[in-house]
Amino acid sequence: ELQHNWLNRTDPLKKPYVSSHVMFAFITGNNETFESVNATEDGNDLALRQAFVQGGNVFESAPEVRLWAGQRYYRRHDVHINDFYFLDMSGYGLGVENIPVLGPMNLHVAWLGGSDDSLQTGHGNAAKHNLDLRLSEIPAPGGSWTLWLDVAWLRGGTVTNLLDTGGDRVDLPSTGGWAAGVIHRTGDKAFLNGYNELAVQYGRGAAYNFATTLDAGVPDLDDVSRFRVTEHFTIQPARWLSMQAVALFERTDLGRGGDAWIHWASAGVRPILHFNERWSIAAEAGMDWVDNGPLGIKDTLWKFTIAPQLSRGGEFFSRPVLRVYATYAKW
């Protein structure tokens, strides 16, 4: 990631500032020892992941307020051991962050969009618009709450580059939707020298997937809904032991009636035994249960992993980490 700051040299901490952020990623098919960026036919590419400008200290009465515009990872929440972002409104847009409200609380307002160039209408690429509203740092027993609301809108039209099975143009209806969630998180060292985070989310229509991107694979977004509960914690009860664990449940209604329900439950734990600040060994056990009505699939995936590690530090998130691992999994 490249970052550049434009600061007022006479008093950089008290004057307005602007910073730019650019993040690239190299994608490779891992086919050759010589991986050319131009070899797109082999799966190689250079991707732009973030490119946004941010300004701060623009209001003397509220110097913590930040304005931003561009493409960015936007206030994401994830479970690390699953690499699962249960709230990821990353995309293109603009917004205002850290607006102080009634003492410790902060309001964050953003417009974010995502498009799909495989669905071209008379209005251009099919695009979803999202108004993202969040109120964070709400005082609560044992930590703080974050309230989240997303209002989404999709402008439809006749898809000019796609035909249905009968050879007719596909119509993408205009639709809206909303999603809401509440997240409770303890202080970073308040729960067994770590933290606990609980999230409850519900979404309908175009906003059901809790993302800025368009999900056009569902025939009628007006009738789709999703409910999700995610609970995970990261703790370090002793110098020699750290751990992260997760449990989640998700239920999606595709709005088709009958067997249009998709259920997913997942649980896992990764304890790490730290011999010192350099050497450790991690183990991970997890399971996923899926009941997919439309596909007629109902089964469970089990997994166990063992991983000796060399890291810089003796904590769960100490980085970088060099590890060798072996996994056994069964579907």
Side-chain angles (χ1 to χ4, degrees):
E1 181 176 2
L2 307 176
Q3 179 175 335
H4 183 74
N5 295 301
W6 288 273
L7 300 175
N8 188 305
R9 295 186 178 183
T10 59
D11 200 345
L13 299 181
K14 294 184 179 180
K15 298 295 183 179
Y17 67 88
V18 175
S19 63
S20 60
H21 305 254
V22 179
M23 177 185 288
F24 291 96
F26 177 55
I27 306 157
T28 173
N30 295 321
N31 298 316
E32 306 289 343
T33 57
F34 179 82
E35 298 287 359
S36 171
V37 178
N38 295 322
T40 55
E41 68 280 359
D42 294 331
N44 297 354
D45 204 352
L46 189 64
L48 183 63
R49 299 307 311 274
Q50 295 193 91
F52 69 97
V53 176
Q54 180 176 261
N57 208 348
V58 293
F59 303 106
E60 292 186 4
S61 60
E64 65 274 20
V65 174
R66 297 198 300 265
L67 288 75
W68 67 272
Q71 172 196 5
R72 66 174 291 189
Y73 298 155
Y74 185 69
R75 308 188 72 83
R76 305 186 301 174
H77 291 262
D78 75 307
V79 179
H80 175 75
I81 61 174
N82 285 23
D83 193 26
F84 174 53
Y85 288 85
F86 57 87
L87 179 56
D88 185 2
M89 295 296 292
S90 301
Y92 300 85
L94 54 87
V96 184
E97 296 180 286
N98 300 334
I99 304 171
V101 178
L102 299 177
M105 297 185 291
N106 287 310
L107 176 66
H108 318 275
V109 181
W111 170 85
L112 295 151
S115 65
D116 186 345
D117 59 7
S118 67
L119 298 173
Q120 300 171 12
T121 72
H123 313 298
N125 295 342
K128 187 172 81 170
H129 305 266
N130 301 269
L131 176 62
D132 186 290
L133 304 172
R134 305 193 195 194
L135 187 63
S136 63
E137 287 79 49
I138 303 172
S144 64
W145 295 101
T146 295
L147 301 180
W148 167 67
L149 174 66
D150 173 36
V151 180
W153 172 254
L154 166 67
R155 184 180 185 184
T158 300
V159 181
T160 59
N161 64 328
L162 190 64
L163 301 176
D164 63 16
T165 55
D168 298 322
R169 298 290 183 188
V170 174
D171 287 326
L172 183 67
S174 296
T175 186
W178 62 272
V182 58
I183 302 171
H184 180 273
R185 183 178 174 117
T186 65
D188 286 343
K189 297 292 183 180
F191 180 68
L192 294 177
N193 202 30
Y195 71 89
N196 182 85
E197 188 168 85
L198 170 67
V200 181
Q201 300 162 270
Y202 178 81
R204 291 193 63 85
Y208 92 98
N209 59 347
F210 311 132
T212 60
T213 52
L214 170 67
D215 191 348
V218 179
D220 192 351
L221 284 172
D222 286 338
D223 297 328
V224 179
S225 64
R226 174 170 289 168
F227 172 74
R228 179 189 292 159
V229 179
T230 308
E231 159 68 19
H232 81 281
F233 63 78
T234 305
I235 59 175
Q236 185 144 10
R239 181 202 61 78
W240 50 271
L241 177 65
S242 65
M243 179 187 305
Q244 185 173 97
V246 59
L248 68 88
F249 173 78
E250 179 181 284
R251 176 170 172 158
T252 303
D253 179 8
L254 296 180
R256 302 172 186 170
D259 60 354
W261 294 94
I262 300 175
H263 298 89
W264 171 42
S266 181
V269 59
R270 182 190 295 179
I272 302 177
L273 181 64
H274 301 272
F275 303 112
N276 51 46
E277 290 191 350
R278 300 172 181 82
W279 296 100
S280 60
I281 186 167
E284 183 171 311
M287 60 80 64
D288 283 82
W289 170 79
V290 176
D291 181 4
N292 190 313
L295 295 181
I297 294 174
K298 187 176 182 180
D299 216 328
T300 305
L301 172 69
W302 300 90
K303 179 191 74 170
F304 180 77
T305 297
I306 191 77
Q309 301 184 147
L310 171 63
S311 65
R312 184 177 178 267
E315 298 181 353
F316 188 88
F317 285 113
S318 293
R319 296 295 182 272
V321 175
L322 178 65
R323 64 170 64 101
V324 58
Y325 64 91
T327 294
Y328 175 79
K330 183 178 182 181
W331 168 256

